[in-house]
Structures are given as structure tokens and as C-alpha cells.
Amino acid sequence: MNKTVNQKAWFLVLPVLVLVAFNAIVPLITVVNYSVQETFGNNVFFWSGITWFEDVLRSPRFHASLGRQLTFTFTILAIEVPLGVLIALAMPRKGIWVSVCLVLMAMPLLIPWNVVGAMWNIFALPEIGLLGKTLNAMGFDYNYTRQPGDAWFTLILMDVWHWTSLVVLLAYAGLVSIPDAYYQAAKIDGASSWAIFRYIQLPKMKRVLTIAILLRFMDSFNIYTEPSVLTGGGPGNSTTLLSIDLVKIALGQFDLGPAAAMSLIYFLVILLLSWIFYTVMTRDEANQ
Amino acid sequence: MRRVSWLVPTVYILFLMLPIYWLVTMSFKTTNEILGSFTLFPQSFTLENYRVIFTDPTWYMGYVNSLIYVTINTVLSVCVALPAAYAFSRYRFLGDKHLFFWLLTNRMAPAAVFALPFFQLYSAVGIFDTHLAVALAHTLFNIPLAVWILEGFMSGVPKQLDETAYIDGYSFPSFFVKIFIPTIAAGIGVAAFFCFMFSWVELLLAKTLTAVAAKPIAATMTKTASSSGYELGLLAAAGTLTIIPGAIVIYFVRNYIAKGFALGRV
């Protein structure tokens, strides 16, 4: 759509700008402020320059949680996106079952995150949970509160349970927007179902899949409540993702300087990776 | 291939329902039964857990508080996002692209980063422990999302609609309220659904910004889990009840969810 230049449009954006600025800029300044100062209590602060940033960037603890975070995010993306597309392809296109499927699939998205964590915590307990009991009955030695591998398995399974539906809904929305004429043309050309997927469905889903991947990326990188309720970052530190570590430092130990420096680095990592995703995925569109 | 295609969604939905089923059956069991034996169905069916929640104000007020701030947040987010999304979809103005991207960056901000600064900011302006505080904090990630979704819907409406209305003598406010808003009603529904969803499920900020008066149900649950031992049945009943508002909302917007995103664009 060709847009007209109109500087008065700023007035329409103003309410959003004021609200978001109040919410984003003031706290961000607070964080920056803490990140460059040292305190010994009593609200007395000293300038400390970039020492906190150097500390955080050099600390093995930060590297370890960043590594766990990246592993987690890329694992769930690698599972949820193909699985979501597969389910969306297999879903009925019309009739009563569409509504039934959509309503049931959207359920996990609307359960408060701590309830999701608590639900899986109980569901996976080896003694009294359905999943834990079943796995143990099948002969697996499964105990997510003791074994790091099992904790990771449970964490990933929980996230797949929780968020694959978002990818399904988005992919499905992209699929139903394809006009029937495309399929008829493909049929006349004798295209295989793989060719239909590759040259018709996938390009048409590209826009919504970009949204899905970006949303899943941002949200999985920010994930806090579910793992903290499910495993509390344990056993040991094995499932301590970035934000769990951050909350431990900021609210647990009240080390404001390192926590603030880590917050900013954390935020910059998300911004950078989102920007890369966004640029790579929209590059082809710009070329056309 | 066609024959078995119904199998994939069915298996997936079964997988989704299993943990929910476990939570719901547990809410009808006594704590002794949960801890003492492994049963697929409640042996001694009890409504005691629900009775406790509906008679104890510390429990049921949690639901009321959550619903209040979620409603304030949804109304606020959609109302301020509407004119902004219109501006982004119709006009070009100084810094529009930068502004749009900056809004989206707030969607990326980890709640863990903002929890402490929010606490200090809202304490300083005197709204700590009010519903407004949580509602405002949640606008940080809901307004960008609402603008994003609404802008997609509005770009799908041809510009001729606006031009015709102005020729017919409508002023901007009356055109916007009387013609434009009804046209994109589906988009508003989808945006409101997502605002409701993300505000209803968030815990970290809601918990940090409240103490007693506006305490959300989610925080009540975490407190119960730690203070009164392990009241699993009660916890399961409270969890089951948190699913219900979401289920009602999904039912109402079921026809729009799928459509909503098809028009949304990056």
C-alpha cells in the first residue's frame, strides 16, 4: 500500500509512545545506572565503569547458563517448528472438527505459566505422576529431580507440550489462506505432494512461520517461570537457564551491579539474534 | 496418506490432554490418596479442595485480582494500540520504521530484567500493590504485540474506505469509531485475545509488583506450595480453575484465531 506522508500521525502514536516509554525507558535507565556503579550498602554508590561487564563476560557461570540457554532455545525450535507444520498440514480444513481441534490445541497456551510448571512437576514425578510412573514401569530409570538428562528431557517435553500449538495455529492460518486455484493448478501439472508442499504451501506459510519462529525464539529465550517451578534450575545447576540465573543473582543475592550488567548483555544477545533471524528470513522478500 | 492424516492431530491432542487430565483428576482426590497410592481415577471422590478455594478469601480473591488486572491491561493495550496501528498502516512519518522496531524490541525484553526496576519505579510513583501496576507492567509486552497484530489487519483494509468516508463528510474520529472499528472487529478480537492470554499467564512481574491487595492467583498458589507443606489436591484444584477463563475466551474467538494471523505481517 502506498502510504501518504503525514507528520501529524505522530499524535496517533503518542499514547503508545508515552506508555511504553514510561515502562521501558525509566527501568532501562535504572538498569544502566546500576550496571556502572559499585555499592557497599546504605544507598551509597561509586562509579565503577565497565568492570561489571568485564566480570560477567569473563565468568564461567555466565558462559554456562548462556550455553544452556542456547541449547534449550535451538532444541525446542528444531522440534516445535517442523512438528507444528506437520500437524497443521494434517489438520482438517473444514467442518466441525476444525473448531474442536483449534479450541483443544489452544488450551495449553492459556494456562498460567506457573500452573504449567506445577502440572508437569506432578505429572512427571516418578512415584505419583502418570508420566514418571509409566516411564519407570516401562523399564526406564527415570527421575527428573535427580538426573540432569531426565530433567532436560522433561523440560523440553514440557515446552513442546506448551508451545507447539502456537506454531500449529500460525501455520494453519497460513495454509487456509491459500486459494483452491493453486491446488487445482498443481493437480493439472501432476505435482507430487512434496512438490505442492515445497512450492505452494511452504512459500505461502513463510510470513506466518517468520512470526512463529521469532515469537518462539524471543519467548524461549526469556523463559523463566516454567523451568523454575518444574526443576528450580536443578538438579545442581543443570537446567539453570539465563533468566533463572539472573533472578538468582538480582533478587536472591541482591548483587545489583553484576545483575544489571548481565541484564544488559542478555537483552543485547536477544536483540542481536532476533535481528539476525529477522534479516535472514525477510531478505528474500526484499530481493523480489 | 489421506486415510491416516486424522491420526496426527488426534495423537497430538491426546498428548496435550494427558497432563491436564492428571491435574483435573488429582483435584478430586484427597491428599492422602495422591501421596499414598497410584490411581488413574479418584477412589474417594471429593469436592473438599474446591470448597476450600471458594470459601477462603485469600484463595478466591486471587482469581478476582487476576481478572481485574488482565481486563484493565487488555482494554488499555487495545485502546492505545488502535490509533497507533492506524498511523503505522496508513501514514509515513518521521522515524516510523525505527519506532515500530523499537516497540517490538520491548516484546523481546526478558521480564527477569525488568522485575526489579519496575518494583522501584512503581513504588516511587506510589502504585505498588495495585491492579494498575500489574496492568501497566504488562502493557510493556502487550502493546507492541497489539500494534503488530492490528497493523496487519488494518493494512488488509483498502485505503479507498477511508477516502470515501472523508468525502462523505466524516471527520477522522467519527470515521474511526463508526466505520473503521466495526470493519476490523475481527482484528480487535484477535489482539484482545493475545493481550488477555499473555497477561493471564505471566507470573514473575505480577508477583513482584503485588504484596497483598492485588495478589494474583498464581502467586497465591506458589505461596501455598511452600508454606503449608505439600497440599497437592488443593494446588491441583486451584490449577484446574485457572484453566477455565482461558478455555472460555478461546471458545469465543475460535473462528478468528486461525484467520487472525494470516493477515498479520512482519
Side-chain angles (χ1 to χ4, degrees):
Chain A
M1 190 181 298
N2 51 341
K3 300 176 186 175
T4 36
V5 177
N6 182 353
Q7 300 302 343
K8 280 185 198 151
W10 265 101
F11 287 110
L12 296 173
V13 191
L14 205 62
V16 164
L17 193 66
V18 170
L19 256 179
V20 179
F22 174 74
N23 265 333
I25 293 177
V26 180
L28 202 60
I29 292 171
T30 318
V31 176
V32 173
N33 203 10
Y34 281 133
S35 73
V36 292
Q37 297 189 74
E38 164 86 277
T39 177
F40 299 108
N42 301 327
N43 275 326
V44 186
F45 288 91
F46 305 92
W47 170 257
S48 71
I50 57 163
T51 47
W52 292 131
F53 290 91
E54 287 173 343
D55 282 0
V56 170
L57 284 174
R58 282 201 194 118
S59 91
R61 178 175 170 175
F62 177 73
H63 295 167
S65 18
L66 183 64
R68 283 190 286 265
Q69 183 67 61
L70 289 169
T71 315
F72 174 75
T73 296
F74 286 100
T75 313
I76 61 109
L77 278 179
I79 298 174
E80 287 173 15
V81 174
L83 186 67
V85 172
L86 181 79
I87 294 165
L89 284 172
M91 260 176 69
R93 292 293 144 73
K94 35 181 99 80
I96 179 150
W97 292 107
V98 175
S99 291
V100 175
C101 280
L102 287 177
V103 170
L104 288 178
M105 284 181 186
M107 288 271 280
L109 300 176
L110 276 141
I111 300 177
W113 294 342
N114 70 313
V115 177
V116 171
M119 190 195 260
W120 274 85
N121 183 310
I122 300 165
F123 184 61
L125 277 177
E127 294 302 318
I128 58 169
L130 188 59
L131 176 73
K133 192 93 176 168
T134 314
L135 282 177
N136 278 310
M138 283 160 67
F140 296 100
D141 176 26
Y142 171 85
N143 186 339
Y144 76 93
T145 56
R146 299 251 177 79
Q147 293 145 8
D150 294 350
W152 268 89
F153 169 77
T154 318
L155 189 61
I156 304 263
L157 194 67
M158 177 180 72
D159 203 77
V160 168
W161 177 87
H162 193 182
W163 288 109
T164 305
S165 294
L166 188 75
V167 185
V168 176
L169 292 182
L170 284 160
Y172 185 73
L175 281 177
V176 290
S177 70
I178 302 174
D180 273 342
Y182 281 65
Y183 291 112
Q184 283 154 13
K187 210 172 180 183
I188 292 167
D189 289 345
S192 65
S193 46
W194 166 252
I196 293 179
F197 175 71
R198 174 68 189 80
Y199 295 104
I200 298 177
Q201 293 172 325
L202 199 60
K204 277 283 168 184
M205 275 193 291
K206 201 178 158 201
R207 217 161 67 176
V208 281
L209 280 183
T210 310
I211 303 179
I213 293 173
L214 268 176
L215 275 180
R216 275 319 296 132
F217 169 75
M218 295 173 197
D219 289 346
S220 70
F221 227 85
N222 295 344
I223 191 169
Y224 169 76
T225 311
E226 301 98 306
S228 91
V229 175
L230 181 73
T231 63
N237 274 330
S238 57
T239 53
T240 303
L241 303 174
L242 266 183
S243 51
I244 297 181
D245 207 16
L246 181 62
V247 171
K248 271 184 193 165
I249 297 174
L251 299 177
Q253 308 167 356
F254 234 71
D255 282 337
L256 293 181
M262 185 173 155
S263 298
L264 289 176
I265 296 168
Y266 183 8
F267 195 17
L268 285 177
V269 171
I270 299 183
L271 269 182
L272 181 71
L273 287 173
S274 299
W275 183 79
I276 293 172
F277 266 115
Y278 183 81
T279 324
V280 168
M281 283 186 294
T282 51
R283 194 178 46 196
D284 300 339
E285 270 173 43
N287 288 344
Q288 278 163 13
Chain B
M1 179 64 200
R2 281 266 150 252
R3 289 268 162 80
V4 295
S5 72
W6 60 271
L7 210 76
V8 180
T10 314
V11 170
Y12 177 63
I13 288 173
L14 271 178
F15 165 62
L16 293 186
M17 290 303 126
L18 270 180
I20 298 181
Y21 167 76
W22 199 242
L23 187 78
V24 175
T25 65
M26 204 147 67
S27 69
F28 295 114
K29 292 178 182 174
T30 57
T31 304
N32 274 341
E33 188 185 341
I34 296 169
L35 295 176
S37 54
F38 180 81
T39 45
L40 285 177
F41 306 100
Q43 299 287 308
S44 46
F45 185 87
T46 173
L47 286 171
E48 175 61 21
N49 297 321
Y50 289 96
R51 196 194 59 79
V52 171
I53 291 174
F54 283 113
T55 52
D56 184 350
T58 54
W59 273 109
Y60 67 75
M61 279 315 286
Y63 289 98
V64 177
N65 289 332
S66 290
L67 285 173
I68 292 175
Y69 72 69
V70 169
T71 312
I72 299 177
N73 171 270
T74 307
V75 173
L76 193 67
S77 301
V78 172
C79 285
V80 298
L82 271 171
Y86 182 80
F88 283 120
S89 80
R90 290 295 191 264
Y91 301 122
R92 200 172 291 286
F93 49 94
L94 192 67
D96 54 353
K97 283 188 183 135
H98 299 287
L99 189 64
F100 197 71
F101 187 74
W102 173 70
L103 279 177
L104 278 185
T105 61
N106 291 304
R107 184 67 185 66
M108 302 168 200
V113 169
F114 281 98
L116 190 65
F118 266 152
F119 171 76
Q120 294 178 322
L121 173 65
Y122 290 161
S123 300
V125 295
I127 56 169
F128 172 70
D129 199 19
T130 59
H131 302 108
L132 187 64
V134 185
L136 274 180
H138 286 177
T139 57
L140 179 70
F141 46 83
N142 273 347
I143 286 181
L145 193 69
V147 172
W148 194 12
I149 294 172
L150 286 172
E151 196 262 354
F153 270 93
M154 289 177 181
S155 299
V157 177
K159 215 175 171 184
Q160 282 75 9
L161 182 82
D162 313 29
E163 283 154 5
T164 323
Y166 294 141
I167 293 168
D168 287 349
Y170 278 94
S171 66
F172 173 72
S174 68
F175 154 74
F176 200 76
V177 175
K178 284 187 191 149
I179 298 177
F180 199 67
I181 287 185
T183 314
I184 53 149
I188 296 176
V190 174
F193 167 75
F194 278 94
C195 290
F196 177 94
M197 167 178 150
F198 280 110
S199 183
W200 177 252
V201 297
E202 206 278 338
L203 170 72
L204 184 60
L205 288 177
K207 197 170 116 182
T208 315
L209 294 177
T210 54
V212 184
K215 194 172 174 163
I217 180 62
T220 317
M221 284 178 66
T222 51
K223 188 141 190 214
T224 315
S226 52
S227 65
S228 64
Y230 226 42
E231 291 255 22
L232 281 176
L234 199 57
L235 211 61
T240 306
L241 288 176
T242 62
I243 301 178
I244 293 170
I248 295 171
V249 172
I250 302 172
Y251 181 77
F252 281 116
V253 295
R254 66 188 181 285
N255 294 326
Y256 298 113
I257 307 175
K259 264 186 228 157
F261 275 114
L263 296 165
R265 56 180 206 132
V266 181

